[in-house]
Amino acid sequence: WVLTAQSVAQSVQKYVLTEGERLVVVATSPIESQGVYALVTNLSSLVARLLLQPLEEMTYTHFSRAAAARAAVYPAAPQPPHADVAPAASRRRELQHLHSLLRATCTFGLLILSLGPPYAWLLLRFVYGPIWAAGGAPALLATYCAHACGMAINGVSEAYVQAAASPAERATVATATTAIAAGYAGAAAVGVRWFGVHGLVLANALNMAARSCISYRIVRAHARAAGLRPAPRLAPHPLVLGALATAAAAANASARRLGSPDAPAAAHAAHVAVGVCGLLAVAAAAAAAEPELVEGGRAIWGARVTEDNIEPRGKEHRA
């Protein structure tokens, strides 16, 4: 019953956080701002559905199966079993892969934050046409990049907590997220009053950041219990951060010179080329400075493929 109540409470919170935004926009914003907000959120949700949601599902499946396997081998252990019960090396390796995945999502979020705003106008011009690109949608899409950055990190960390945290830890997270949701409601009201729909998006970004901090505290506690001292870092390597900063500076300079609405198509193409070069530079820096990111992602993906192949065979064998 406790787990059921927690699941129901989390579902209610998610509904309030998703639908509450629309209710606030409808109640406080003019019809034009409502249309801009709907367009930007629908466009941004493609990133969540196509990229982030599969990653969250893969994270949840992998670590929930790992926790279930440990519980089957050590039935008397608490959930989840810590390093004094579960094989220490295996548990540490799992958590190292998790930190690699979190660092990769952090890099991805910062990449959106770095390259998203300079290309917001051009993206809307290409997808929706010049009418929407000429209004307030590009500025709101640029603001929404901060929300996407927080969403990338929060999704993976919460997926791990739901998969591997103990009932007591999940109860703590549920209580904290309830308090955060209440704070978000106040921040959203103040943000909308002072900054319009931009304030609502920024309030949601702060909400994502706070929820990520709560989930990451659980991750760090598990890392310490498994003997990972100090815990693996979450921030990208300085070389990657430098590449992100350089790419952002180049993209913003290019947007001022080449990406304006009055610029010809050739200038827009050159502006896109600058962004592609920045993206490749960040990818090269990550590959050179953090090869463990690829290793961690490959380990989790490989485990998922192996488990998906084993399950149908097991079903055929039982049949």
Side-chain angles (χ1 to χ4, degrees):
W1 288 104
V2 174
L3 292 178
T4 302
Q6 291 175 1
S7 299
V8 171
Q10 290 172 358
S11 299
V12 172
Q13 290 172 13
K14 289 181 180 179
Y15 178 81
V16 170
L17 291 174
T18 53
E19 299 300 326
E21 293 181 3
R22 296 178 176 88
L23 296 176
V24 170
V25 170
V26 169
T28 61
S29 302
I31 189 66
E32 181 180 354
S33 296
Q34 294 178 32
V36 169
Y37 183 82
L39 180 141
V40 170
T41 53
N42 289 336
L43 179 61
S44 302
S45 66
L46 293 176
V47 176
R49 287 198 299 267
L50 298 179
L51 297 177
L52 300 180
Q53 184 176 355
L55 182 62
E56 294 168 15
E57 293 175 351
M58 181 178 66
T59 302
Y60 176 81
T61 301
H62 174 72
F63 287 104
S64 61
R65 287 175 175 173
R70 289 195 301 273
V73 176
Y74 302 94
Q79 297 293 327
H82 293 310
D84 55 341
V85 180
S90 174
R91 182 66 175 143
R92 284 196 294 268
R93 188 163 53 250
E94 286 179 12
L95 288 163
Q96 286 170 342
H97 291 161
L98 173 65
H99 277 82
S100 296
L101 190 59
L102 286 170
R103 201 154 59 250
T105 56
C106 183
T107 302
F108 175 74
L110 291 175
L111 184 64
I112 293 177
L113 191 60
S114 300
L115 297 182
Y119 293 92
W121 175 86
L122 199 58
L123 176 62
L124 288 168
R125 173 68 175 81
F126 178 77
V127 175
Y128 291 108
I131 295 179
W132 283 105
L140 185 60
L141 182 59
T143 304
Y144 211 90
C145 291
H147 175 264
C149 179
M151 188 166 52
I153 302 171
N154 178 70
V156 172
S157 60
E158 284 196 347
Y160 172 81
V161 169
Q162 293 300 317
S166 67
E169 289 170 332
R170 283 196 291 268
T172 301
V173 171
T175 302
T177 52
T178 301
I180 291 172
Y184 163 72
V190 174
V192 169
R193 180 175 180 180
W194 286 96
F195 303 106
V197 289
H198 292 266
L200 182 61
V201 172
L202 291 175
N204 209 346
L206 291 175
N207 168 62
M208 286 290 177
R211 288 168 56 184
S212 299
C213 291
I214 297 299
S215 299
Y216 189 61
R217 286 189 62 187
I218 305 296
V219 173
R220 287 186 66 87
H222 287 195
R224 288 194 298 269
L228 286 176
R229 297 176 182 272
R233 58 186 170 83
L234 179 62
H237 190 276
L239 181 62
V240 178
L241 292 175
L244 285 167
T246 302
N252 280 281
S254 174
R256 289 191 295 269
R257 294 177 177 272
L258 304 173
S260 64
D262 299 330
H268 290 165
H271 179 43
V272 172
V274 171
V276 171
C277 291
L279 178 63
L280 293 176
V282 173
E290 306 202 68
E292 65 274 11
L293 299 186
V294 178
E295 179 185 349
R298 188 177 297 169
I300 294 177
W301 177 259
R304 179 191 178 187
V305 171
T306 302
E307 291 162 352
D308 290 343
N309 290 336
I310 288 175
E311 283 188 354
R313 294 176 186 174
K315 293 178 181 177
E316 293 173 2
H317 179 72
R318 289 192 295 271

